[in-house]
Amino acid sequence: MSDDEEKSVTAPEVAVDSEPVTDLSNSDVCTKYQEASKVVNLTLEGLVTQTIVGAKVLDLCAFGTTVMEAATSKLYTKKVNGKAIDRGVAFPVCVSVNDIVCNFSPLEGLPEVTPPLKAGDIVKFDLGCHIDGYIAVVAHTVVVKETEDSPAPPEDPELAKCAVAAYNAMLVAAASIAAGKTNTDVTKAVDRVAKAYGVTPISSVRMHQMKRYVLDGVKEVALKEITPDDPPEEKVPNCTFEQAEVYAVDVAMSTGDGRARPGAMRTTVYKRNVEQSYQLKVKASRQLLAEVDKKYPTLPFTMRDLSDVRAAKLGMNECVNHGLLTPYPSLHDYSGKVAHFKCTVLLLPSGTCRVTGLKLPEYFTTDTEADEETQKILTEIADGEAKKAAKKAAKKAAKKAKK
């Protein structure tokens, strides 16, 4: 890390009337989002290299968690007002295989439901970290190869088309989330991409605004336009995007009907519902809630990280039944193959900046073409990235020449 980067990482928060400014108008907040983004990108890169035949889902979850915790522990190490800055995992590492769409982060001792990966398995990663409550998230889809250096996995035209559609929809959605635009603009753009490729957005997936310590903000974006046949709870209130906001751009597409449903897998990811209170009757429930309130008061956690998993299982039902904990069940789509991509975007004065996510794996190719409007947006994105890369290379060369 350079001296300039070190200064930016340890800069004090700007305050107005003694209250900290917690949106992107504060340059230190912006830096924290960017640093968290670097950590999730680094973690995702490591997970992709580890995804080979014989790898175990539980080991991948543990690996990703270790990387995030180690990387964030090296940032913002100076105490503020005598207190260490909170940092670490913001969303547990989930490794969802084949028909599982998302939220699968297994407990130990379940080999029958988490067999080692085999060639051709479709793996969807989903994870997030935070620095001082400022969250960066990412999701990515890969196909298991024999080894890291093996050639591309066997061709699967339907999966490839679905992956290209989901990834392009994520890019288009990210570009469409700009100050002054609405969530319906983004939904229409995603729907347009899906129709061009002949795939279906997974209706239960949502894009959300993120705030400090808030993963699922009030403002959200649906992936598909609601029809009279859809359940009324799938309708999303209209909203307008504003500068200095942050969004998780979450896209999952299916070659089937797009209706992901909870399966038989044990739910292991939960989040404390801070607006709910109840006098618990069971001792195990009270112990569980006390630990959650202390260690995970606002952000999602996995049961695997609790001090006593067996006791937590006994107390979980009462906590969930009375709304104290919100479950994140593993969702399945048995109707087709699924691809899942997610990135984090910052609405800056200079425009929307996509700060997380990797490039689409090169083995995902399709002869199906995007519609004209989508292709125009993708070309603009590619041109912008090429200019940034050239500028960065020139700056690096100039710096090297001075030495």
Side-chain angles (χ1 to χ4, degrees), residues 24-71:
L24 295 175
S25 61
N26 178 349
S27 61
D28 187 49
V29 168
C30 185
T31 301
K32 288 173 180 175
Y33 275 117
Q34 291 170 332
E35 292 297 324
S37 298
K38 292 176 184 177
V39 172
V40 294
N41 286 337
L42 173 69
T43 305
L44 181 57
E45 288 172 356
L47 284 167
V48 171
T49 62
Q50 297 288 320
T51 307
I52 59 175
V53 170
K56 297 179 181 179
V57 170
L58 185 61
D59 292 343
L60 290 172
C61 292
F63 170 82
T65 302
T66 299
V67 173
M68 279 195 287
E69 290 179 342

Side-chain angles (χ1 to χ4, degrees), residues 259-315:
R259 294 199 175 277
R261 304 166 178 84
M265 301 289 191
R266 173 187 285 276
T267 298
T268 63
V269 179
Y270 295 86
K271 183 180 71 172
R272 177 72 164 97
N273 183 359
V274 295
E275 298 178 353
Q276 194 70 19
S277 62
Y278 175 78
Q279 191 66 39
L280 294 165
K281 307 295 189 296
V282 180
K283 181 179 179 181
S285 304
R286 295 194 296 271
Q287 291 176 336
L288 168 61
L289 193 66
E291 182 175 2
V292 171
D293 283 342
K294 181 179 180 180
K295 296 168 63 177
Y296 312 104
T298 57
L299 296 173
F301 63 92
T302 171
M303 289 176 64
R304 195 173 55 251
D305 292 333
L306 297 174
S307 59
D308 189 338
V309 175
R310 185 177 180 182
K313 290 178 182 178
L314 296 175

